[in-house]
């Protein structure tokens, strides 16, 4: 299905997104299924991941502005792939990792299992973001994608940077 911002507008999507920040805290505060220690761990975990997601989005915005200000030569001459992947881990990876951490708080696995599960979730988030970027280039209307939208907006996605660097300079 089309995403909320496509069906109801960016303003509505932002408002709903902002309201959803409070839903997990309300649920955590009210559920009788958690001990006080679990509840505190869940509050700390949720807050930490929400902050990480915003840091990742901020990095994403900054990279787009960097490309707009410096131009293509700066993009081609700078090793931005690690920073883009870090932003993916922070913003998209944080969404999956937070769910994984919350499940771990309930299941109480060993710390090694918890850490490995979170690392896997973050990696899946990064992979999801890369696939989404590639699909954005395809413009599949069934997925609500407009061909080259990221390119037009000047977003520096991993797929775009890798493609530009693989091309001869004149073609990029």
């Amino acid at each position: 299905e089309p995403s909320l911002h496509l069906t109801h507008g960016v303003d509505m999507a932002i408002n709903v997104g902002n309201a959803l920040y409070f839903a997990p805290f309300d649920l955590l505060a009210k559920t009788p299924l958690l001990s006080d220690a679990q509840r505190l761990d869940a509050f700390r975990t949720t807050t930490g991941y929400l902050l990480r997601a915003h840091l990742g989005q901020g990095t994403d915005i900054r990279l787009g502005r960097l490309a707009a200000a410096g131009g293509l030569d700066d993009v081609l001459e700078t090793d931005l792939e690690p920073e883009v992947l870090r932003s993916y881990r922070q913003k998209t990876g944080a969404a999956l990792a937070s769910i994984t951490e919350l499940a771990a708080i309930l299941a109480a696995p060993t710390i090694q299992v918890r850490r490995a599960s979170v690392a896997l979730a973050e990696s899946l988030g990064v992979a999801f973001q890369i696939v989404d970027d590639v699909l954005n280039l395809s413009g599949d209307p069934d997925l609500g994608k407009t061909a080259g939208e990221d390119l037009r907006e000047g977003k520096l996605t991993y797929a775009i940077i890798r493609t530009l660097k693989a091309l001869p300079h004149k073609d990029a």
Side-chain angles (χ1 to χ4, degrees):
E1 296 294 320
S3 63
L4 185 65
H5 79 283
L6 295 175
T7 57
H8 297 285
V10 173
D11 55 349
M12 183 64 76
I14 289 172
N15 188 54
V16 169
N18 287 343
L20 287 174
Y21 269 88
F22 302 102
F25 294 111
D26 187 54
L27 182 64
L28 289 172
K30 292 178 180 175
T31 184
L33 302 174
L34 298 174
S35 68
D36 287 343
Q38 287 175 311
R39 190 179 325 280
L40 180 59
D41 194 6
F43 274 119
R44 287 179 177 158
T45 296
T46 302
T47 302
Y49 279 110
L50 289 172
L51 288 170
R52 275 187 58 197
H54 277 282
L55 288 171
Q57 188 62 36
T59 300
D60 190 43
I61 292 167
R62 185 182 62 75
L63 288 170
R65 290 182 178 177
L66 174 73
L72 185 57
D73 285 332
D74 282 356
V75 171
L76 293 173
E77 294 170 7
T78 307
D79 185 22
L80 296 174
E81 291 99 329
E83 195 166 356
V84 170
L85 291 174
R86 185 173 51 253
S87 78
Y88 290 0
R89 187 168 287 105
Q90 288 176 324
K91 64 179 192 172
T92 311
L96 295 176
S98 65
I99 295 166
T100 303
E101 286 255 25
L102 290 172
I105 290 167
L106 292 174
T110 65
I111 193 67
Q112 294 87 356
V113 169
R114 183 170 172 169
R115 286 179 182 155
S117 299
V118 169
L120 175 63
E122 287 179 343
S123 296
L124 290 172
V126 171
F128 171 86
Q129 189 64 59
I130 292 170
V131 169
D132 188 64
D133 294 343
V134 171
L135 291 173
N136 180 273
L137 293 170
S138 74
D140 187 339
D142 291 338
L143 298 174
K145 300 291 182 186
T146 304
E149 182 179 358
D150 288 340
L151 280 170
R152 279 192 305 285
E153 292 179 5
K155 287 185 72 176
L156 289 179
T157 68
Y158 187 74
I160 290 171
I161 291 171
R162 293 293 303 227
T163 301
L164 288 172
K165 288 196 172 191
L167 294 169
H169 189 75
K170 65 177 181 59
D171 294 334

